[in-house]
Amino acid sequence: MDYVMRAVRADEWPQVRQLRLDALKDPAAPVAFLESYEEAVAKPDAFWQERAAAAAEDGGGRVRQFVAESPEGEWVGSVTVLVESPEDDVRFGEAAAVDQAHLVGVFVRPEARGTGVTDVLFREAVAWAWSLSSPRLERVRLYVHEKNPRAAAFYRRFGFVPSGQRIPAPGGQGELELEYVLGREG
């Protein structure tokens, strides 16, 4: 695997936008993301510019988006890390009980699935979360839709375990999002 794993740069907002739009076209998108393609494509360039700037390596430290880049410069996958603290507003589920990271926006292009890209993206994202000293994060969490077994299987294989926390999935269809957590070792 010759992919480079790195944080996005602020000036890469067109690529951030395009990868998100491509992810929202994936057949698993309705159970993997909290927005539709139509909602995302309607957002102005300023939204994508702000999003990329906030998630860039020099964006301030509370958000980081990592991408897997092929030798030809194509982005084949991404994961975003949000830092959450108990004093923050509720983003998803319930307020954080401890300082933690929340992984969102996980996507790997179909042609790169099964190549180890997701493992390396997650290692990069989790390593960044553990590297923070202010705040020192106690755990990393993510949510997975109950009807997304492919993603759930990967998360378990990576070391995440179900916390037992279940929240209603957006859309009011009676489906659930399941919280998985990875605790800090040592």
Side-chain angles (χ1 to χ4, degrees), residues 16 24 44 47 77-78 96 104-105 114 136 139-140 142 160-161 163 171 173:
V16 168
L24 291 170
F47 170 86
S78 178
V104 299
R136 183 178 188 273
R139 68 183 198 156
V140 176
L142 54 82
F160 283 82
V161 296
S163 71
Q173 307 266 331

Side-chain angles (χ1 to χ4, degrees), residues 5-151:
M5 305 299 161
R6 63 174 180 81
V8 299
R9 295 184 288 271
D11 65 345
E12 294 177 317
W13 68 267
Q15 294 97 312
V16 168
R17 178 184 186 272
Q18 189 59 56
L19 189 63
R20 179 62 169 200
L21 294 177
D22 291 348
L24 291 170
K25 292 177 189 175
D26 189 273
V31 296
F33 298 103
L34 300 179
E35 71 180 336
S36 69
Y37 176 85
E38 292 74 22
E39 291 167 329
V41 78
K43 292 179 178 168
D45 289 351
F47 170 86
W48 298 103
Q49 291 164 355
E50 290 170 17
R51 186 175 189 152
E57 191 162 17
D58 59 356
R62 302 252 333 151
V63 179
R64 184 69 41 93
Q65 182 178 359
F66 294 95
V67 293
E69 187 176 47
S70 74
E72 297 77 34
E74 179 189 16
W75 288 10
V76 298
S78 178
V79 61
T80 299
V81 185
L82 308 173
V83 175
E84 299 175 323
S85 296
E87 61 273 5
D88 294 342
D89 291 334
V90 175
R91 287 190 178 146
F92 191 67
E94 60 184 29
V98 297
D99 291 320
Q100 64 188 15
H102 188 154
L103 302 186
V104 299
V106 179
F107 174 68
V108 173
R109 293 184 186 281
E111 64 272 15
R113 292 177 188 157
T115 65
V117 169
T118 311
D119 287 281
V120 180
L121 275 169
F122 264 59
R123 279 196 298 274
E124 191 80 14
V126 169
W128 179 77
W130 293 154
S131 77
L132 298 176
S133 59
S134 183
R136 183 178 188 273
L137 305 181
E138 297 301 318
R139 68 183 198 156
V140 176
R141 78 170 176 170
L142 54 82
Y143 282 91
V144 63
H145 192 282
E146 66 182 340
K147 292 185 178 176
N148 195 348
R150 181 185 74 197

